[in-house]
Amino acid sequence: MASDIPDPRQVFQAQHNSIERLAPFESLIKQLIADFSSPREANEYWDTFFATYTAFATAGEVLQSLVR
């Protein structure tokens, strides 16, 4: 993963602890469609993102961002 884009687990933890978001939402979406060094790495990111995105976005916001 690109070093400037945090793991969605960090964003979820920040939201859980009432700390400001660690990265812009769009950066997390860009990472969803980014090239990963391995399919396992991609699956881990996707699994974590989709398990936690409701802490920082709605399903509609995710879909709109993916369409863009």
Side-chain angles (χ1 to χ4, degrees):
M1 275 189 271
S3 62
D4 60 328
I5 301 173
D7 188 312
R9 292 172 288 205
Q10 292 175 319
V11 174
F12 175 75
Q13 187 63 36
Q15 288 292 316
H16 183 71
N17 292 333
S18 299
I19 299 171
E20 271 190 46
R21 291 183 185 172
L22 296 176
F25 175 67
E26 292 295 324
S27 295
L28 294 172
I29 295 297
K30 286 179 186 177
Q31 189 62 26
L32 279 177
I33 58 175
D35 288 332
F36 288 86
S37 59
S38 72
R40 181 173 184 240
E41 183 183 10
N43 287 338
E44 273 184 28
Y45 186 88
W46 297 334
D47 289 348
T48 302
F49 179 88
F50 286 111
T52 61
Y53 81 88
T54 57
F56 52 86
T58 65
E61 290 170 326
V62 171
L63 182 58
Q64 286 176 346
S65 292
L66 286 170
V67 169
R68 275 193 298 259

